[in-house]
Amino acid sequence: MSAVTRAQAPNAPQKKELPPEAYRQAVDQADLAISITDPKANILFANAAFAHVTGYTPDEIVGQNESLLSNHTTPPELYQSMWRELSAQRAWTGKVLNARKGGELYLAELHISPVVDSKGNTTHFLGMHRDITEMHRLESLVLNQKHLIESVVDSAPMAFALLDQSGRIVLDNQEYKKLVSDLRVREPAHTLLDSLMPQWQETLAKRPEKCNFVSRESRIDRPAGRPRWLSVSASVIEMHSDGADSYFSTGNQSGLLLVISDITSLREEQEKARAAVLQAVLADEERTAAIREGLSAAIFRLEEPMNVMASAVSVLQRRDPASAGVLQQALAASREHMEMLRQVIPQSPQEIAVRINLNEILRDVLEICTPRLLSAGVMVDWQPAATLPPIIGRPLQLRMLFKALVDNAIEAMNIKGWKRRELSLTSAVERDCIVIAVMDTGPGIPHEWRHKAFEPFFTAKNGSGRHIGTGLSRAQQVVADHGGIIDLAESPSGGCAAIVEFRLDGDPI
Ligand code: FAD
């Protein structure tokens, strides 16, 4: 090194040597119990804090072995691992149970470092320990309280899930875990919030106070299972962040506590009563619709001969006015009777459009059609979307629509000797639409009939021995009234698939 680099700059502060005594004073006055031992743990030095913690004065303790502090309840394996580390000249940290001079026990967090000389021999050990009895007591208190809260929460008959502001589940209970396995959805809390508060993630992140609600009901549909009805309450709670960055700031964030109760049995009872009423209402409406259709068809068919009569009148008027007059009178009388008939055609009931869950409508239809499905030996594969956003619609008309489609499917498969009889019913959300598919494993509809099938009074019953039902024109009307579309296609089995699409923002007429 050159003299220039070694020389100190004229104004640089002078580097002072630390006097050896300063080391001793620093160690002696440190707030941590410090001891220095020989390689056999015999104490050579102990500072004032050591005396304060252990109760032994330096005079009493120097010359004693550190094992004097042992309460002899610390497991021997712990000392064995301690000495294994120290013998390998590695530092060791752990907790031991010590006894003070007066016999009082305290929990010590102990750190031991080997002091190694230039030849690589361990000459001393430096021991530092502090009394962590109070900290341990507080930790145990928190832990006990946590266990207590967990046991109370776990034994509660309702499911709990606590979400942090990012939507992560940070706490749940046994009932919630049961929901996870029963419902077979990725995260029931998210599924429920999606159905009850579609913008919940954004709201929870930006305006958590808007996320409180009480006892809102959600229906979860499961493939091949009965639907579950859950009542959900959500309350926003303040959560303290445990990150180091929040040590000096409040760092609080909002959490969302969901309390979920299963109200399926209650709802099933109500549903049973409702289904019975529905069945009666639907049967009544079907009868009325049949009368309406029968009368309309009769009038439609009578129009034809009457038109022929009208042409005959105009031809006869020149050649045989007398006969033309008689025929004219007969025609006028017939028209009058036709008009009377038209007036007695029963009108369809006026229904108010309400918020509707289509899964619920489909489930009702399956319930109502169960006796027919059973007697026709049809297996049902019900694959609903777990939750569906509501649409605005007329419940009775929609039930009639899907019942007509299911009836057609049953009829299509109910052919003597027809083996595969499966009805598949699916609901899904695709883009901005709810798509419902009613698929059968019957012989299917010939391509050329797919549009004709929607014409009023069209029936294939006599054409090919295959009856496709008479409700399709009415079904198309209901779908159109709800701003949707209906189409017939080939199902994967070669049978018929009726696909109905309703726009989520659709507005019924
Ligand atoms: P011991 O007979 O001392 O030994 C227990 C086990 O440790 C034996 O199975 C033996 O295999 C192993 N062992 C003991 N001495 C050695 C050694 N020199 N080399 C290798 N293995 C060995 N203990 C406390 O309980 N409280 C303390 O606060 C504490 N502070 C310590 C501070 C320092 C700096 C050091 C070096 C040790 C400290 N010890 C402390 C450990 C203490 O020396 C004893 O090992 C321990 O207390 C167990 O004592 P014992 O009489 O039950 O068993």
Side-chain angles (χ1 to χ4, degrees):
M1 198 182 282
S2 76
V4 178
T5 50
R6 216 185 306 136
Q8 284 213 325
N11 293 332
Q14 290 284 311
K15 266 193 184 165
K16 285 188 188 154
E17 284 289 319
L18 187 65
E21 189 53 23
Y23 283 108
R24 193 182 174 91
Q25 280 170 352
V27 171
D28 207 15
Q29 291 167 27
D31 202 19
L32 202 61
I34 297 176
S35 58
I36 298 173
T37 71
D38 67 10
K40 290 202 153 75
N42 296 314
I43 300 171
L44 305 174
F45 165 82
N47 73 352
F50 189 98
H52 179 71
V53 172
T54 63
Y56 294 104
T57 63
D59 283 348
E60 286 170 326
I61 200 79
V62 168
Q64 298 287 347
N65 191 278
E66 293 276 7
S67 63
L68 180 75
L69 298 177
S70 172
N71 167 254
H72 303 293
T73 48
T74 304
E77 300 79 45
L78 185 131
Y79 293 124
Q80 280 158 19
S81 109
M82 167 203 285
W83 281 109
R84 217 174 15 254
E85 291 298 296
L86 297 182
S87 308
Q89 295 189 333
R90 285 193 294 263
W92 179 90
T93 303
K95 287 175 188 141
V96 289
L97 191 64
N98 277 355
R100 296 187 223 280
K101 183 182 170 186
E104 186 199 352
L105 300 183
Y106 69 97
L107 190 69
E109 188 178 62
L110 173 63
H111 177 86
I112 305 174
S113 300
V115 180
V116 181
D117 69 9
S118 54
K119 291 185 193 127
N121 298 319
T122 303
T123 57
H124 300 88
F125 288 115
L126 170 68
M128 293 179 276
H129 79 262
R130 64 194 178 107
D131 181 349
I132 57 159
T133 313
E134 182 60 10
M135 202 157 77
H136 172 71
R137 192 183 67 80
L138 293 175
E139 263 176 21
S140 307
L141 203 74
V142 171
L143 217 66
N144 285 344
Q145 265 175 2
K146 185 169 172 275
H147 284 150
L148 199 74
I149 291 169
E150 277 173 1
S151 343
V152 170
V153 166
D154 263 349
S155 59
M158 60 276 277
F160 287 98
L162 178 62
L163 288 77
D164 68 12
Q165 216 156 345
S166 68
R168 202 166 44 98
I169 308 284
V170 289
L171 186 89
D172 60 13
N173 68 346
Q174 284 304 326
E175 281 297 310
Y176 184 80
K177 289 188 177 77
K178 257 201 253 166
L179 269 189
V180 176
S181 66
D182 285 0
L183 298 182
R184 281 185 250 135
V185 292
R186 206 165 35 86
E187 196 61 85
H190 293 177
T191 308
L192 289 169
L193 284 170
D194 286 343
S195 75
L196 297 172
M197 204 172 38
Q199 307 294 322
W200 68 271
Q201 263 167 322
E202 202 187 334
T203 316
L204 183 60
K206 293 185 183 155
R207 306 196 61 191
E209 71 285 356
K210 297 261 167 206
C211 290
N212 289 305
F213 61 80
V214 182
S215 302
R216 286 198 195 160
E217 285 182 18
S218 178
R219 174 194 167 114
I220 308 272
D221 284 276
R222 300 169 298 161
R226 54 194 191 119
R228 287 279 287 269
W229 286 95
L230 301 165
S231 166
V232 186
S233 296
S235 19
V236 176
I237 55 170
E238 284 279 293
M239 296 204 309
H240 296 279
S241 168
D242 50 9
D245 53 346
S246 65
Y247 187 76
F248 291 111
S249 60
T250 52
N252 287 354
Q253 58 156 303
S254 299
L256 191 64
L257 178 67
L258 294 188
V259 181
I260 306 158
S261 335
D262 193 336
I263 51 164
T264 307
S265 331
L266 180 75
R267 286 305 301 251
E268 273 176 352
E269 285 304 309
Q270 293 170 346
E271 289 294 294
K272 255 189 226 157
R274 199 177 60 89
V277 173
L278 254 180
Q279 201 147 10
V281 170
L282 272 188
D284 207 36
E285 174 54 19
E286 264 178 350
R287 264 193 303 276
T288 316
I291 295 172
R292 193 162 48 233
E293 263 173 27
L295 283 176
S296 303
I299 291 171
F300 180 77
R301 287 189 180 126
L302 280 172
E303 297 277 5
E304 209 179 312
M306 282 173 50
N307 288 341
V308 174
M309 276 169 73
S311 319
V313 167
S314 60
V315 172
L316 272 178
Q317 228 138 27
R318 273 198 219 137
R319 285 195 228 147
D320 185 357
S323 306
V326 176
L327 204 57
Q328 177 73 53
Q329 272 179 12
L331 187 63
S334 304
R335 287 228 161 94
E336 212 173 296
H337 290 132
M338 280 249 296
E339 198 43 50
M340 278 166 69
L341 260 185
R342 228 180 235 118
Q343 280 176 12
V344 295
I345 293 179
Q347 297 303 306
S348 45
Q350 286 302 306
E351 238 194 310
I352 296 167
V354 290
R355 277 161 71 92
I356 287 176
N357 180 335
L358 282 176
N359 273 345
E360 207 171 313
I361 298 279
L362 291 169
R363 186 87 211 175
D364 283 348
V365 168
L366 279 181
E367 196 87 30
I368 289 164
C369 293
T370 300
R372 275 202 78 198
L373 287 161
L374 287 175
S375 72
V378 176
M379 300 252 297
V380 177
D381 180 24
W382 167 225
Q383 296 284 348
T387 57
L388 277 185
I391 63 158
I392 306 293
R394 299 189 174 88
L396 187 59
Q397 285 191 26
L398 289 168
R399 280 188 193 97
M400 298 274 292
L401 153 71
F402 290 111
K403 182 165 182 301
L405 298 182
V406 171
D407 281 344
N408 281 350
I410 298 173
E411 202 146 346
M413 295 181 283
N414 206 5
I415 305 167
K416 208 167 177 217
W418 195 263
K419 292 226 162 56
R420 199 164 162 207
R421 296 174 180 214
E422 288 159 31
L423 173 77
S424 161
L425 209 59
T426 64
S427 67
V429 180
E430 286 174 19
R431 299 173 309 278
D432 297 335
C433 292
I434 294 180
V435 182
I436 311 291
V438 182
M439 293 178 279
D440 63 54
T441 53
I445 293 187
H447 198 267
E448 62 276 17
W449 286 355
R450 284 192 192 152
H451 290 295
K452 273 181 108 182
F454 291 108
E455 287 174 10
F457 317 122
F458 173 85
T459 171
K461 197 174 185 178
N462 301 324
S464 65
R466 156 104 216 277
H467 181 41
I468 59 160
T470 54
L472 277 181
S473 74
R474 214 178 334 136
Q476 191 181 38
Q477 189 57 50
V478 174
V479 175
D481 286 350
H482 285 80
I485 48 172
I486 179 168
D487 210 357
L488 294 181
E490 190 175 308
S491 74
S493 67
C496 178
I499 316 287
V500 185
E501 274 189 36
F502 292 110
R503 288 185 59 80
L504 284 173
D505 57 1
D507 213 357
I509 302 166

